[in-house]
Every structure is written in structure tokens, then in C-alpha cells.
Amino acid sequence: VSALGKRSGLAVAALGRQRALAAVARRRPSAFAVFGAGAAVIAVVLVILLSQTGLRRLGNNDTPVQGVIGTLAPGATGCQPEPMHKGARGVEIYASPTQPGRVAIRIKITGAGRYDGTGGTGGLIAGGLAAPLAHGAPPPRFADTGVLLNLCVINTGQVPLALIGAGTGADQLTLRQAGSPPTTTVGRLRIDDLVSGRAVSLWGILPMLPDRFAAATGSLLAPWLVVGGGILALLAMVGLLRGGGEVDEN
Amino acid sequence: MRTRVDLAMVVVLTLATGALWAGITPAFDKTDEPAHFEYVQEVATLGHPPLDLGNNGLASAELGCWLSGLQTQTYRFYPTERPPWNVADVAALDHTCDGDSPKFDGAMYQATQPPAYYVLAAGAYDLASASPLPTRLLFVRMFSVLLAALAVALTYLMVREVIPGSRWAARAAALALALQPIFMFNESGVNSDVLVVTVAAAIAFVTARAWRRGLNTRHALALGALTGLGVLSKLNFLTLMPSIALLAFALWWGSAARSAWRVRLLSAARLALGALLAVGIYGLYVLVNNDVWHRGAAGTGPAMAEGVTGVGSIRHLADFIWQFFLPRLPGRPRLFGYYPFWNDVLKAITTRLGWWNDYGFDSWAPVLVVLGVLIATLAAFYVLPRARRRPWPALVALGAAALFLLSLIIADFRVLDAFGDGFEGRYVFPAMPLWGLLVGCAVVALPPRLRPGMTGLLAALFLAHTVIAISSTTSVFYL
């Protein structure tokens, strides 16, 4: 009886030790749990970054930013033929005020039927000046078709604007001011088409990225590599970190 | 079994991150990619390496059409510009360039390089020969990624040999490489550096295996064959030769320390056989290069060979090496206006994306570099005390790395004097397996119960680094 009691006592002690070890094992952080916590932090930061607002581009008019092509005086209008991107609801023009004072522009489109009109007032942003278009995005018969619209920039502010672009040899910017004959600048004004005339988050841009990857690499394979690669990489990391422990096999 | 599953995961992880980097970088925007791709195209279409070794800046009609159509020069040099965003424009460009000849003799400033990488990569080019040129470029990029996956898998195996008791160490090592964005950016481009890195990883693995299991003839021949292949990969591989010699000597010394004279002689004979194989491979290349392709004996071209001879004094070289790492000594001439080891090595391999940091990613430098140095220091704290007990593996690995860095600096000194070209951080990437080993050491320095958690933490940190780099790339090219 006493031997039996001693044996059962040992068994209880062993069980206690096992439970204690199991408790320790439960407490120690697993690779996957720590990685998961880190990945969650990264995901939160990404969501915050994607929610940051700013002016979002759809494309530009293929005019490189090379130098000043002319000056737009207060009250003057500069017009040039312009291809428009699908979905463009605002534009950013590359220009900077030449002296302190109130800066403002408006954008007008002519020769496009119901799409004609003058948009609301825009003004200085980090890279230049931005303003909304009058009637939303250009209709399908104009956007991404190569058809050129007549886009005019009106300086509604108090200071002259130095216009930035490049000498292109064709389709130059024409300047008009009341009381003076029109003059043609040495080149074209650089204009970026925007998703909106005001700041928006990056979420709306995400669906456009696959096409941009394909165009920039010149291959439709690229977006598959990016998206598939990203997903597979995460799965492989999970597989690696959920693997077994330290038993030596080799 | 678990090791095989781990290896499969490591290969998939590297292929996946490499694919991501290959797909997200605009065409021809990897370092020196147009020239390297031109070499691949010549091997694939003409069947031989460039016979015209001059750097005339020309390319095949097809490649030239795509390079100008995609405006690669514009967005590389001007941060206000972007690559094409409209798929229809690229389809039109494909129509324009269709029918242009892909055949051309020359590879700009890469024409003098040996051909091993390009011969292998030509297979990937041929596989996509019916596709437009940018898709062929992506196939060759993916071939590079395949080599990168091999390098990371070999690093995993090498750490398993050096630290056999810990799988977490090997996993952390593999994660450190596969999620190092600057490394993977380079490894997913068309560039013969990729083969140099893979060969270096293979040499590290074979050496670790030979050290642990005893040097045999197969190990020695493998080392010889790999060295021969390395020399045929890129001229930069020559800077690894002193380190390989040190590793071979350590292998011999290791066998000599615990064996009879007969065994010592046998080890020496095996290593000599390996060296003979390496020399034989190189000799064969010189013969073919000279007599079949008429590219000159060493394949480096007469201009380069003349350019790097007889430059600088030993004293000047000593100053150069000193000031590469440390502040200038009083009375000595100032050779740099900055700290090269910090700027050209640590900062470059942690933060410098693009050809010469054209992404502006450098602004993240302080945080990332400090994190990297912290991890390396932690690892060193573990390696050095252990080295006192079992000096060889750690000291030999560190010695080989130091010799490699020294050789790179000396090569930089000579090239700098001859051509005015500078040290680039990516040149140290053949030492990446050692970085993996250091990370593995940092993990295994902890008590076993904390190793999984530390590996998970490192994985999250490495992933964050990659996410920052991918975000930076997206912002530079796609927003």
C-alpha cells in the first residue's frame, strides 16, 4: 500500500511538473504570434498612410519639367491643346508666383460641347497650382482618345505666374490679355491631370496600380508578379514561422 | 523532413519577394540593366558574347526603340517625371518596335565582362522569345530571382551546418536575406552580380559542410568548380579570391590539427585538385575568349587592363584604406569628404534603392541603419565570446568577410584612380550569407524558449523594411 501510495505521489508530482512546463510553454511567445503582432502594426501604419489625403495624379501631358516658358500676368489667360485622361476632374499646372501676393487660378475648357466651362477657383499646392474642372470628368469621346481639348489657365490672382514646361515645337501655349494681341510662348505648359481638384486619399488609386505596373514595365505579366508575389511571400513567411521547434535533424 | 519543408518555404519566399521586386520596378530601371540585358540579347540572338568591346552606348534597333519609347532616361533623372501609366500607349509602342532587329554586337560598358551569367540567362530570354521585349526582360529578371532563391536556400543550409542545433537560426538567416529590400532589388534585376552572389553562397555552404563533416574530394572539387564559375560570372568575383584562399587554408588547417601527416597531405592534395580545376576552367575560358571570340586573353579588354596598372603608392593606398573606415590621421591628406564605410557601405546597403539612390529612399537612413547595426552588434556580441571557445568557424567567417571588404576597397582604390568611378554598396552583397549567419547567431544567443519569438520579431522588422522600400518605390513611380 505504501509503495502504491509512493508511486501515485510520484505520478502526481510528475503531472504537476508537466503542467508547470505546459504553463511555461503557453507563456513563451511563439514566432507566429510575435510576427502576427508586428504585421498587425505594419498593417495599421499602412492603413493610416493610405488614408492620407493629397492631390492624386492620373497622368501628365508628356511635357517634361525643363524650365520657364513664359509669364501669365494677373487677368491674363493661357491656352493650349491638351489631351485629357479618363476620370480627370482637376488639373495641376506647373507654375510659381513671381512675387508675394494672392495666388489663384481658374481652368476653362472650350470646344468640347457640354464639357465646356470654367471651373472653381484653385491655388497654390506643393508642386505648383491646382484647380478643378467645370463639369466633372471628360466624356469618353475625349478622354484617352488622343483628341485635344482647348484648355485655358486664367490667372485670377494678384501676382504674375512663371509658367513651367518645355520647348516642344508644336501646340505651344498662347497667351491672351485684354487690350493686347495674343502671343505664343516658346513651348508647352506642363499639366498633370488629377483624380480631383481637391485632396483625396490613396484608396481610390489602389485599383489603378496594376495597370500602371503593366505600363511601366511594358508587360501585362508585371501586376501578376507583384500581387501574386506579395500574397505568396506572406504565406511562405507564415509557413516558415509556424514550423516545428529546435529538434536537430541534420 | 522539416528541413525540406523549411527549404521549400525559403525558396517560395525568395521567389515571391523577388517576383514582387521584378514586377514593381519599371523596365530597365535596375542598376545598369540596359547594358546587361543587351549582353543577354546578344548571346541569345547571335550565340556569342560581345566581340565589340567598345562602350559606344549603342543597342539593337529593337532595344533602342523600347528604351526611347519608354522614356527610361527621363524618369530616371527627373523626380517630377513618371514612367508610362497607360497600357494602351505601351501596346502602341509594341506595334512601333515590332519588326526591329534584336541582333547587335556590343553591350556598352558591360561588354568586357565574362559570359557565364548571360549564357545561362539567355535560356530565359529564349523561353519568352515570342513575347514583346519587356516580357523577355521580365523573364530574365525572374531567372535572376531563381538564382537569388538558390543563394538564400544555400545560406539556410550553411547556417544549419554551422549551428546544427537550431532551425530558428537558419530560418532567421533566410528571412534576413529574402526580406532585405536593397539586396532583393538588385537580385531581381538583369545583372551578373546575381550569379556572383549565388556562387559566393554556394562556396560558403560547401566550406561549412566540409568543415563540419571533414574535407573530402567532392568538397574540394566543388570548391574548385564554384571558384571557376565565379571567375566566369563577373570580374568583381576576383575580390573574393583572397577570402576563398583563406577558407581553403582554414579547411586544411582544421584537418591538419586533428589528423596524422598522411591525412594532412591528402587534404592538401584534394585542395590542390580543386584549385587545379578552377585554374583549368579559367584557362579554358581564356583560350576560347582569345582564339574563338578574339576578345583578348582575360576578356577585360586592353583599355581596362592598361587603365588599372601602376596607380597610386602603397602609402596612398594605406591612407585610402584607413580613411575608408576611420577619421583622417593628423598630417595626412584628406581623401574623402565624407565617411565611406558609413555612407557607401552601411547606408547604401540599407537604404539606397535605384541606380544611385534616385528614389530618395535615403531619408529613411538613420532609423534603418541604426536598426541594422544594432542587430549586427547583438550578433557580434554572441559570436565573439563563442569564438574564444570554438575559434574557427566564427573567426574564419569574420576573417573572410574582412578580407573581402579589404579587397573591394583596394579594387575601388585602383578603379577610382583609373576611371574616377566610386564604391557601390551592392558590391558587398556576396557577403550576404555572412549577414545571415550573424542574424542566426543573434537568434541562437538567446535561451531556446525565446528563439521563436525573436525570429518572429526579426521577421516583422525585416518585413517592415521591405514594406517601406516597396512604398517608396510605389510613391516614386506610380503616384
Side-chain angles (χ1 to χ4, degrees):
Chain A
V1 171
S2 109
L4 195 63
K6 195 173 175 183
R7 197 178 290 172
S8 88
L10 282 174
V12 168
L15 193 66
R17 270 201 305 277
Q18 270 180 2
R19 280 182 181 160
L21 282 173
V24 169
R26 274 198 300 275
R27 275 202 304 274
R28 77 184 176 204
S30 77
F32 183 66
V34 175
F35 171 70
V41 172
I42 294 170
V44 169
V45 172
L46 270 182
V47 167
I48 293 170
L49 285 178
L50 285 168
S51 304
Q52 299 289 304
T53 56
L55 291 170
R56 308 299 174 197
R57 294 184 184 88
L58 287 165
N60 62 52
N61 63 351
D62 288 333
T63 304
V65 179
Q66 287 180 348
V68 174
I69 56 154
T71 304
L72 192 64
T77 301
C79 300
Q80 69 183 26
E82 191 67 12
M84 296 300 290
H85 287 87
K86 190 175 157 187
R89 289 172 181 274
V91 293
E92 174 187 353
I93 69 160
Y94 283 62
S96 58
T98 56
Q99 60 194 63
R102 192 174 66 83
V103 177
I105 57 163
R106 295 182 79 184
I107 301 296
K108 182 179 179 182
I109 288 178
T110 61
R114 289 172 59 191
Y115 187 57
D116 281 5
T118 308
T121 307
L124 271 179
I125 55 159
L129 288 85
L133 300 176
H135 300 300
R141 67 179 185 282
F142 295 121
D144 288 340
T145 58
V147 175
L148 301 176
L149 304 181
N150 189 39
L151 187 145
C152 302
V153 183
I154 308 162
N155 185 350
T156 51
Q158 295 170 332
V159 294
L161 300 171
L163 303 169
I164 298 162
T168 52
D171 294 333
Q172 293 105 323
L173 183 82
T174 303
L175 297 173
R176 287 186 178 80
Q177 190 158 24
S180 307
T183 56
T184 304
T185 60
V186 294
R188 280 170 62 73
L189 174 65
R190 163 64 174 263
I191 297 177
D192 289 356
D193 290 350
L194 304 173
V195 172
S196 169
R198 55 195 174 76
V200 291
S201 81
L202 278 169
W203 291 103
I205 298 292
L206 286 184
M208 299 175 190
L209 289 182
D211 267 4
R212 292 184 184 182
F213 296 149
T217 55
S219 174
L220 293 172
L221 185 61
W224 292 98
L225 290 177
V226 175
V227 177
I231 294 169
L232 260 184
L234 281 177
L235 290 176
M237 285 182 80
V238 169
L240 200 59
L241 293 172
R242 295 201 74 161
E246 291 289 49
V247 183
D248 191 0
E249 282 180 0
N250 69 352
Chain B
M1 179 63 191
R2 186 62 228 179
T3 299
R4 279 188 208 151
V5 174
D6 272 9
L7 262 183
M9 292 297 163
V10 165
V11 168
V12 171
L13 172 64
T14 316
L15 285 175
T17 49
L20 203 164
W21 278 111
I24 207 169
T25 316
F28 303 108
D29 209 63
K30 303 277 190 185
T31 318
D32 301 329
E33 202 165 36
H36 287 292
F37 185 76
E38 195 177 345
Y39 201 139
V40 175
Q41 193 176 43
E42 170 154 7
V43 173
T45 55
L46 296 176
H48 56 71
L51 308 181
D52 181 355
L53 301 181
N55 176 18
N56 50 23
L58 298 175
S60 70
E62 187 190 33
L63 180 54
C65 178
W66 278 100
L67 285 174
S68 67
L70 290 170
Q71 299 172 6
T72 51
Q73 298 293 320
T74 313
Y75 59 81
R76 186 181 313 144
F77 291 109
Y78 300 101
T80 49
E81 307 305 328
R82 295 288 181 273
W85 281 357
N86 192 342
V87 177
D89 292 346
V90 178
L93 184 60
D94 183 28
H95 188 69
T96 308
C97 300
D98 191 29
D100 283 345
S101 173
K103 294 180 180 176
F104 181 77
D105 181 29
M108 302 182 208
Y109 47 90
Q110 299 297 339
T112 53
Q113 293 290 356
Y117 169 81
Y118 310 99
V119 169
L120 297 171
Y125 180 99
D126 284 337
L127 211 59
S129 56
S131 309
L133 184 126
T135 302
R136 275 172 267 158
L137 176 78
L138 276 184
F139 267 68
V140 182
R141 279 184 178 179
M142 284 309 293
F143 165 73
S144 293
V145 172
L146 204 61
L147 288 178
L150 187 60
V152 178
L154 286 164
T155 301
Y156 173 92
L157 290 172
M158 182 265 288
V159 177
R160 291 286 285 135
E161 292 291 338
V162 177
I163 312 171
S166 174
R167 266 201 296 264
W168 289 110
R171 286 171 184 156
L175 287 164
L177 267 66
L179 294 172
Q180 214 289 7
I182 320 298
F183 176 66
M184 286 310 296
F185 171 86
N186 280 279
E187 291 287 287
S188 57
V190 181
N191 197 317
S192 49
D193 280 340
V194 179
L195 186 56
V196 175
V197 170
T198 307
V199 171
I203 287 173
F205 166 62
V206 173
T207 308
R209 203 172 174 87
W211 174 262
R212 186 171 164 221
R213 304 179 185 209
L215 177 71
N216 61 29
T217 309
R218 274 171 49 193
H219 293 142
L221 286 176
L223 283 176
L226 286 167
T227 306
L229 176 63
V231 175
L232 301 195
S233 308
K234 194 172 187 181
L235 293 172
N236 299 29
F237 187 84
L238 295 175
T239 55
L240 277 166
M241 295 302 275
S243 307
I244 295 170
L246 175 71
L247 294 177
F249 179 74
L251 282 178
W252 177 79
W253 189 264
S255 70
R258 57 186 180 233
S259 311
W261 267 107
R262 200 180 64 80
V263 179
R264 296 180 202 182
L265 280 176
L266 196 62
S267 295
R270 283 173 176 149
L271 287 169
L273 198 65
L276 206 64
L277 180 62
V279 172
I281 292 170
Y282 180 65
L284 191 66
Y285 165 62
V286 169
L287 208 65
V288 173
N289 213 33
N290 200 37
D291 293 347
V292 179
W293 295 324
H294 307 292
R295 281 161 44 90
T300 59
M304 182 174 280
E306 282 164 18
V308 294
T309 51
V311 291
S313 65
I314 293 291
R315 203 173 160 79
H316 190 199
L317 173 63
D319 277 336
F320 190 90
I321 294 171
W322 179 272
Q323 290 180 34
F324 195 92
F325 295 99
L326 299 164
R328 179 175 60 102
L329 289 173
R332 300 304 303 155
R334 181 184 296 278
L335 299 180
F336 302 98
Y338 60 101
Y339 294 107
F341 185 64
W342 169 258
N343 190 64
D344 292 347
V345 180
L346 290 179
K347 221 167 133 179
I349 60 172
T350 326
T351 63
R352 202 156 294 163
L353 274 166
W355 283 44
W356 52 79
N357 187 35
D358 38 347
Y359 288 23
F361 185 50
D362 227 356
S363 56
W364 292 90
V367 177
L368 294 175
V369 175
V370 166
L371 273 177
V373 170
L374 204 66
I375 292 168
T377 311
L378 280 174
F381 267 109
Y382 173 71
V383 170
L384 292 177
R386 258 183 89 85
R388 282 192 215 111
R389 293 199 295 274
R390 281 179 56 206
W392 288 110
L395 285 186
V396 168
L398 289 175
L403 261 183
F404 170 52
L405 194 55
L406 198 65
S407 306
L408 272 179
I409 294 166
I410 293 171
D412 179 43
F413 170 73
R414 293 170 70 83
V415 172
L416 202 65
D417 267 18
F419 301 107
D421 201 354
F423 189 98
E424 290 184 38
R426 65 193 164 93
Y427 295 155
V428 306
F429 282 144
M432 280 300 276
L434 179 71
W435 166 242
L437 180 59
L438 282 178
V439 172
C441 286
V443 168
V444 90
L446 295 169
R449 67 190 176 85
L450 293 180
R451 289 174 191 168
M454 174 53 89
T455 307
L457 179 66
L458 287 174
L461 281 175
F462 297 145
L463 179 66
H465 193 181
T466 287
V467 168
I468 292 170
I470 292 283
S471 307
S472 175
T473 305
T474 306
S475 147
V476 166
F477 294 117
Y478 302 108
L479 296 181

